[in-house]
Amino acid sequence: MSTFRRTALLASVLLLTQAQIADAHIVSARLGDFYAGALHPLLTLQDVVVWVALGLLAGSLGAASGRWLVVVFPVGLCAGLALAAGSGVTAVSPFVDAATILILGLLLATALRIPVVLLSVVAFVLGVMRGAANAGELMPQTDRLLYAAGLAGAGYATITLVMALALSFRRPDTEPLSSWRGIAVRAVGGWVAAIGLMMAGLSLAS
């Protein structure tokens, strides 16, 4: 063994003997309160269906009507989260969830021209309901401000992306309702309504 190798081996042994215990861990087991607030609704069927259906509805009505939801829906999520955290009531009836999905599906399927004010009210109410439902994940040690920011950020991103995709596909300003694009969006609404109907039946059966 050469002198260089012996020196390198000796130095390695000395370094290993001086090594201390390393405590490597993430911020929290839930990837942080911000990420918990952002990821939890995206892993829940009720949230995913409601958020996507609402974005599709906004996109099918046009940019002038839908852009208000980008602000109103996240505000509703934060309001619902705050109300539920303050009152302690976080559970939402499965039948109410099912009825919400059913109504959104029917609105999509029938292609009703909803006024901007009414659409904003619907989005805010849905935001409050889903924000309250997500408050059930709050723990005493949870940073509620970070959790709310993550929840609102996820709502903003979901509504914006789905609405943008719906606008680029549906083209409500140039394509009539009878076009194949309009029929495709209405067909998706029928599937959403069917999901809500099945969920309502299951909730009543249980």
Side-chain angles (χ1 to χ4, degrees), residues 149-161:
L151 182 64
Y156 171 83
T158 302
I159 293 295
T160 302
L161 291 176

Side-chain angles (χ1 to χ4, degrees), residues 33-57:
D33 296 322
F34 177 87
Y35 298 104
L39 291 176
H40 180 262
L42 301 180
L43 300 176
T44 306
L45 177 63
Q46 290 88 339
D47 283 309
V48 171
V49 175
V50 169
W51 293 20
V52 170
L54 188 59
L56 286 174
L57 180 62

